[in-house]
Amino acid sequence: MASGAERSPAVFDVKGLTKIYETSGVTVHALRGVDFSIAPGELVVLLGASGSGKSTLLNILGGLDKPSSGEVLFQGRDLVTANESELTDFRRHHVGFIFQLYNLVPNLTALENVDLVTDIADTPIPSAEALAMVAMSDRQDHFPAQLSGGEQQRVAVARAIAKRPEVLLCDEPTGALDSHTGILVLEAIENVNQQYGTATIIITHNVDIAEMADRVVRLADGEITEVRVPQVKKGAQEISW
């Protein structure tokens, strides 16, 4: 094992993270003192019921929301004190997002949807190459309405990875898919993680997906209640539910 001096710095290092919402006079503690980190190339699965704080944590890591208190460092860079312009730059150049809803532009082809990212990225993966990585080369000239749900999600994966992000944040990426199609999407995410060493966080309700993780983190009521390393890490194609 490498010594501390030889290890790469954490992609994210989070300490004492809290998030409090005030809704109609009701105080909601979405996060309660969360400590979290992810190493370069690591694949982490976040498990937990609705309202456990998973999406709030992911949104803060992705620069879409700010915490009430605590520290959030991205490669040593403080995201809590970053202004909106700096957060926009962070999201544009360093983070790939995959959500349960595909959010494709309906009047653009699959290739053109990926082009939206490659046109603004510094060192992008060519759009056709990104689609090939998710086995969508033969559908690149089709519009979203001509694609199945799983195919649209794979285009969304290609779009997220085309900028070569240091981190890929996936919020229920298989939630709207059947198991067969969901596994194809997980395989695409797995390929990106392994081929490019992209630190990857997957939020899911599905405990079976945790079998493909390097580390599994469980949240409940805004707190981390369990962290474990699976004894045997499975490939996406070995998972079933």
Side-chain angles (χ1 to χ4, degrees):
M1 180 178 293
S3 69
E6 296 170 327
R7 286 197 298 266
S8 298
V11 176
F12 282 114
D13 194 10
V14 172
K15 295 178 181 177
L17 199 67
T18 72
K19 182 64 179 181
I20 301 172
Y21 296 100
E22 296 287 344
T23 305
S24 302
V26 177
T27 301
V28 178
H29 293 266
L31 294 174
R32 303 169 182 264
V34 167
D35 296 331
F36 176 82
S37 65
I38 182 168
E42 189 178 16
L43 193 157
V44 174
V45 168
L46 297 182
L47 292 176
S50 295
S52 63
K54 306 186 307 297
S55 292
T56 300
L57 175 59
L58 205 73
N59 287 340
I60 291 172
L61 293 177
L64 298 172
D65 198 0
K66 284 206 172 189
S68 300
S69 65
E71 183 178 79
V72 183
L73 299 180
F74 169 74
Q75 297 178 343
R77 172 183 175 185
D78 188 353
L79 296 184
V80 175
T81 59
N83 61 36
E84 198 53 48
S85 175
E86 291 168 334
L87 288 175
T88 298
D89 179 79
F90 162 67
R91 291 189 298 265
R92 175 175 294 176
H93 296 290
H94 302 288
V95 185
F97 294 97
I98 302 171
F99 299 103
Q100 183 172 338
L101 298 177
Y102 322 124
N103 297 318
L104 301 181
V105 180
N107 61 340
L108 297 181
T109 66
L111 187 69
E112 290 167 339
N113 265 278
V114 181
D115 284 341
L116 291 174
V117 166
T118 60
D119 286 345
I120 62 172
D122 294 328
T123 57
I125 302 169
S127 297
E129 183 179 329
L131 284 167
M133 289 182 65
V134 298
M136 285 295 292
S137 294
D138 60 339
R139 306 286 278 168
Q140 68 179 25
D141 295 322
H142 289 68
F143 293 95
Q146 299 172 307
L147 303 174
S148 69
E151 288 171 334
Q152 290 186 61
Q153 188 63 297
R154 280 186 279 166
V155 174
V157 173
R159 183 181 57 189
I161 67 174
K163 67 174 81 170
R164 298 183 195 264
E166 285 94 339
V167 61
L168 192 60
L169 303 179
C170 313
D171 194 349
E172 296 284 359
T174 64
L177 307 174
D178 62 72
S179 60
H180 172 74
T181 308
I183 287 167
L184 291 177
V185 169
L186 290 175
E187 187 175 29
I189 293 171
E190 178 184 61
N191 287 344
V192 174
N193 169 255
Q194 295 178 352
Q195 184 168 340
Y196 289 97
T198 304
T200 303
I201 302 174
I202 302 175
I203 281 181
T204 183
H205 288 93
N206 189 336
V207 296
D208 295 302
I209 292 174
E211 296 178 353
M212 66 182 288
D214 295 307
R215 189 160 48 102
V216 181
V217 178
R218 186 179 290 274
L219 285 89
D221 298 321
E223 298 179 314
I224 292 177
T225 58
E226 179 188 24
V227 179
R228 64 180 177 86
V229 176
Q231 290 186 339
V232 178
K233 180 180 177 180
K234 292 186 177 181
Q237 287 290 344
E238 300 175 273
I239 295 172
S240 62
W241 67 82

